Amino acid sequence: MAKKRLVLALGHDALGTNLPEQKNAVTKTAKAIADFIQDGWQVVITHGNTPQLGMIHTALNEFAKNHEGYTPAPMSVCSAMSQGYIGIDLQNAIKYELYSRNIEGKVSTILSQVEVDKNDPAFENPTKPIGRFLSKEEAEENEANGVRCMEDAGRGYRVVVASPMPQRIRELETIKTLVNAGHIVITCGGGGIPVISENGKLVGVNAVIDKDNASSLLAAQLGADYLVILTAVEKVAINFGKENQEWLSDLTVEQAKEYIAEEQFAKGSMLPKIEAAIRFAESGEGRRTLITLLDKAAEGIAGKTGTVIHQ
């Protein structure tokens, strides 16, 4: 009998925001992943990269500003760097946790390019903030040089880039081959390296792909049974933060769409997770998405907590 397969989309809390935090965070994260493997699940791991990507992008661009002969690093290059160093930390932590439990496990990190449509409307309206806060003067200088900036919640200005929808995971066949061979695969980090195809040549673009959208596409194309989106709350709520707040345990796709129409989910946080959850649930019979905390993921799969979205 084939193992049940799940795609686990790790959020910010599972990785930390800097190198020391990440080393500590992945140790805890690896324990939760190993629990699934011990329970017989075939696991594919995706992850966010916003703090790490911002750190790399800022560091390389500041270096280029102050050192002649160096150029700013494109977002696609920074994304590739973040995938590599996050992936190796996760990979090593998972391997050690499995070793500690006397479980044989092959763990692989695949740097993945995710193709987007060069005509995606998101390129006309970049909204994803990246990197450190800027002064108004720095933002104006960036704008004069064609770099879009936006005021961010009264805290200053930040560079913003497009967040187009993922269309195709270019390393999909490699990922499938490894998963089918029994590997635990870490891939599509930060939503993948954003690229467009120009007559078959892959070219990086100045964008960031939403991690949950890429995870939903990956889970559907791998034929996963579950997509698990890990976030900062145990369950999804409606009327969030109000006196009549209600936690949700079970949502059909139709109910979720009704709540979206009522604008129950915040655009910058829960809404994209719900939309990604719906797309996976609709992609095949019996497919379910769980949204919950890392610590509660196993309980959520067992039906004890979290919010499950299904047909």
Side-chain angles (χ1 to χ4, degrees):
M1 183 177 172
K3 283 188 174 184
K4 283 201 163 186
R5 182 176 292 179
L6 67 82
V7 171
L8 193 65
L10 302 176
H12 162 71
D13 291 345
L15 298 173
T17 59
N18 55 41
L19 290 173
E21 279 186 19
Q22 183 171 301
K23 286 283 186 186
N24 290 331
V26 295
T27 301
K28 175 184 171 186
T29 300
K31 293 181 186 300
I33 293 167
D35 287 344
F36 280 115
I37 295 160
Q38 198 160 8
D39 286 344
W41 286 89
Q42 201 171 51
V43 181
V44 179
I45 301 147
T46 65
H47 59 81
N49 72 341
T50 300
Q52 294 86 351
L53 181 66
M55 179 180 68
I56 293 168
H57 188 254
T58 299
L60 293 180
N61 287 4
E62 292 292 324
F63 188 85
K65 263 187 195 177
N66 295 298
H67 294 80
E68 193 176 342
Y70 291 88
T71 58
M75 193 61 67
S76 54
V77 171
C78 297
S79 177
M81 290 180 179
S82 73
Q83 275 197 45
Y85 94 81
I86 294 170
I88 205 68
D89 273 356
L90 268 172
Q91 181 175 310
N92 288 341
I94 294 165
K95 281 183 175 180
Y96 180 70
E97 184 61 31
L98 294 177
Y99 169 81
S100 301
R101 301 184 189 199
N102 293 315
I103 298 171
E104 186 178 343
K106 297 167 284 187
V107 190
S108 301
T109 299
I110 300 298
L111 299 194
S112 49
Q113 300 174 97
V114 175
E115 189 176 334
V116 300
D117 182 352
K118 65 181 178 181
N119 297 314
D120 191 305
F123 286 110
E124 297 299 317
N125 182 35
T127 57
K128 182 75 174 175
I130 290 293
R132 67 175 177 86
F133 287 98
L134 309 170
S135 68
K136 188 176 182 181
E137 291 72 27
E138 287 175 311
E140 287 172 349
E141 183 182 339
N142 275 339
E143 290 278 358
N145 292 323
V147 178
R148 297 285 291 275
C149 294
M150 186 180 289
E151 200 273 334
D152 187 350
R155 296 175 294 176
Y157 294 80
R158 293 175 79 186
V159 171
V160 289
V161 297
S163 185
M165 285 296 292
Q167 303 293 324
R168 181 182 177 192
I169 298 163
R170 296 302 301 238
E171 283 70 34
L172 181 66
E173 292 308 312
T174 302
I175 296 164
K176 276 184 179 176
T177 299
L178 287 169
V179 172
N180 290 337
H183 284 240
I184 301 144
V185 177
I186 302 161
T187 193
C188 289
I193 302 160
V195 297
I196 58 171
S197 178
E198 292 186 347
N199 298 317
K201 181 181 180 182
L202 297 181
V203 179
V205 291
N206 191 41
V208 174
I209 299 166
D210 181 86
K211 171 261 300 177
D212 296 318
N213 286 336
S215 302
S216 178
L217 178 63
L218 177 67
Q221 294 187 338
L222 288 178
D225 301 283
Y226 254 101
L227 168 63
V228 181
I229 297 177
L230 300 175
T231 187
V233 291
E234 187 171 338
K235 294 184 179 185
V236 175
I238 54 173
N239 304 312
F240 188 73
K242 300 176 183 176
E243 287 185 7
N244 60 340
Q245 176 176 304
E246 180 185 345
W247 296 108
L248 305 171
S249 298
D250 186 275
L251 266 181
T252 66
V253 164
E254 290 309 310
Q255 287 171 324
K257 287 180 177 178
E258 286 172 16
Y259 288 137
I260 288 172
E262 294 171 11
E263 298 185 348
Q264 286 283 358
F265 308 120
K267 287 185 179 178
S269 56
M270 190 55 73
L271 178 60
K273 297 181 189 307
I274 298 291
E275 290 174 333
I278 289 170
R279 278 193 294 277
F280 175 67
E282 288 182 323
S283 69
E285 188 177 347
R287 294 180 177 178
R288 302 162 77 81
T289 304
L290 168 69
I291 300 176
T292 193
L293 293 164
L294 173 67
D295 294 345
K296 300 289 183 178
E299 289 179 51
I301 290 286
K304 296 176 182 177
T305 191
T307 302
V308 174
I309 298 173
H310 57 89
Q311 286 276 39

